[in-house]
Structures are given as C-alpha cells and as structure tokens.
Amino acid sequence: MIDLHTHSLFSDGELTPAELARRFEVAGYKALAITDHGDQSNIDLIIPRLVAFCEQINRRQGIRVIPGIELTHVPPEFIPALVSRSREIGARLVVVHGETIVEPVAPRTNRMAIESSVDILAHPGLITEEEVLLARDHSVYLELTSRKGHSLTNGHVARLAQKTGASMILNSDTHAPGDIWPAARLHEIVVGAGLSRDDYQAMMKNVGSIVKRCLT
Ligand SMILES: [Zn+2]
Ligand SMILES: [Zn+2]
C-alpha cells in the first residue's frame, strides 16, 4: 500500500517526517510521499529539508519516502511558476490543493493545476467534465480521499473520471496518527465512491507507477 498525500510538522501535520514514515511503515505501507502545504513563502524552506530527510531514510531497508509539496491556496495565476520552482528545488511529487467544497479555494485552481501538469490534483471538489478531460490529456491524477470534508465529492470525481477515462488515485491526506487508514480496508473508500474492486486494483497500479517514477 502507498499513500502520496500526507502532512508533517513542516505544515499543519502533528508528526515529524521520521515518525510519519515509521507509523505508515508499521501500518503496512511500502511507500509514502510527504506533501506539506506550500506557497510562495515557504517552499524553499520545506522542500530541501524533505529532500535531505528522504535521501537519508531511503538508504535503509523499509518504507520508501518521497519528498513532495502540496501547493495550497496559491492564487491560480502563480501556480505554473510555483510548480516549476518546486520541481527545480527537488520536489519529486507536486500536488495542488484542489477546489474542495469545504474551503474557499480560488476558482480556476483546478484548471491551472492541470494545465501546469502537476502530478496529483488533490480533492478537486465539483470539478467539471471539461477539466476532467483536460486532466486525462495532461496525465494528471485525480484524487479520491479518505479525509473528512474533502471526501464529500469522491463520488462526483469518480463518476466523471470513469466516464472520461481519467486516472484516479486514493490518498489519506494524513495530518495525525488517526488519519492513517488500515491498508487492508482502503478498498472500502473506493467502493464507497461507487467504484468496483477492479477500479480499486487499477488505482493501486496507478499509484505504483507514480512511485516508480518518483524514486528513479
Ligand atoms: Zn489539500
Ligand atoms: Zn493535504
């Protein structure tokens, strides 16, 4: 099992990167991305530190950890430059905090993230069919999430992705130990969004290919 959207003390998570990695490892996960909330003010503080941590921890056996960032509430017009900058300074996985219905995320955030070819558009809320098609064409993965609030639109995202052939992945958006979903029960979230076990398997394959790309 793999989770590509989590938060540490570098933003609003409760755990250090080391404890986050350890807790996911004990829960049965093989790989993890740490994707703290970032904007223009802090990506240069967060990303190099996560890169250094991951370089060291990945020298040992056990869970693989990927240094990432979740660009959050960045005004849409600044997203493309910040995606590029994040990659330049070492982020192997760039997530954008999409237009969840439980926060006032700026309109056009989903579209700008997709047009910037981010790796994952997190919790995209009531994303339009046109944007889902664009995500498919830009190879941007759309996220289903176990996170309370953000998960309210999982069914909508799943339906449009399935209709259009866009790729989905499943993440926890973990901020605290209690958010780590037991690996053996992850399929429940996917089935709960109206998808099948075959869809779940396809999502697991998607996430595996992202990890391979991030770690090479
Ligand atoms: Zn988010
Ligand atoms: Zn998040």
Side-chain angles (χ1 to χ4, degrees):
M1 297 298 147
I2 291 162
D3 199 320
L4 297 180
H5 183 170
T6 69
H7 297 274
S8 77
L9 283 175
F10 281 122
S11 58
D12 57 349
E14 289 183 7
L15 307 175
T16 59
E19 184 171 352
L20 195 59
R22 178 61 186 157
R23 284 183 179 268
F24 270 95
E25 187 173 77
V26 169
Y29 286 73
K30 301 288 176 229
L32 167 74
I34 303 178
T35 55
D36 277 300
H37 296 293
D39 64 16
Q40 300 93 320
S41 72
N42 65 358
I43 60 169
D44 59 327
L45 297 175
I46 296 170
I47 294 172
R49 285 166 173 75
L50 287 177
V51 168
F53 168 76
C54 293
E55 268 173 17
Q56 193 178 50
I57 201 145
N58 288 339
R59 280 188 219 134
R60 65 184 271 282
Q61 292 294 314
I63 192 165
R64 308 286 90 191
V65 189
I66 297 161
I69 195 80
E70 182 183 15
L71 299 175
T72 303
H73 286 280
V74 171
E77 62 268 38
F78 301 137
I79 289 175
L82 225 53
V83 171
S84 302
R85 183 67 189 141
S86 297
R87 295 199 198 281
E88 275 167 24
I89 60 178
R92 302 306 303 263
L93 187 83
V94 179
V95 179
V96 162
H97 182 88
E99 294 176 45
T100 172
I101 61 171
V102 296
E103 288 176 28
V105 178
R108 296 185 66 246
T109 295
N110 285 347
R111 175 172 288 272
M112 291 304 277
I114 294 165
E115 288 179 351
S116 306
S117 294
V118 294
D119 298 296
I120 298 169
L121 177 58
H123 45 69
L126 296 175
I127 187 169
T128 65
E129 184 166 340
E130 190 196 346
E131 289 163 343
V132 172
L133 281 165
L134 205 58
R136 183 195 66 190
D137 295 344
H138 283 258
S139 303
V140 173
Y141 290 90
L142 300 175
E143 183 192 71
L144 300 190
T145 178
S146 56
R147 183 85 177 148
K148 59 180 185 290
H150 298 335
S151 62
L152 289 168
T153 54
N154 278 352
H156 169 79
V157 175
R159 183 178 62 82
L160 286 184
Q162 207 171 32
K163 181 176 173 190
T164 58
S167 297
M168 289 173 276
I169 61 161
L170 173 65
N171 290 320
S172 70
D173 205 349
T174 285
H175 287 69
D179 300 334
I180 302 172
W181 204 267
R185 294 181 49 204
L186 282 169
H187 69 277
E188 293 173 345
I189 299 159
V190 173
V191 174
L195 298 171
S196 67
R197 280 183 178 262
D198 285 349
D199 296 319
Y200 173 71
Q201 294 304 338
M203 289 168 76
M204 294 302 109
K205 208 177 274 181
N206 288 342
V207 82
S209 62
I210 301 174
V211 168
K212 212 171 277 175
R213 191 178 72 208
C214 290
L215 289 174
T216 50

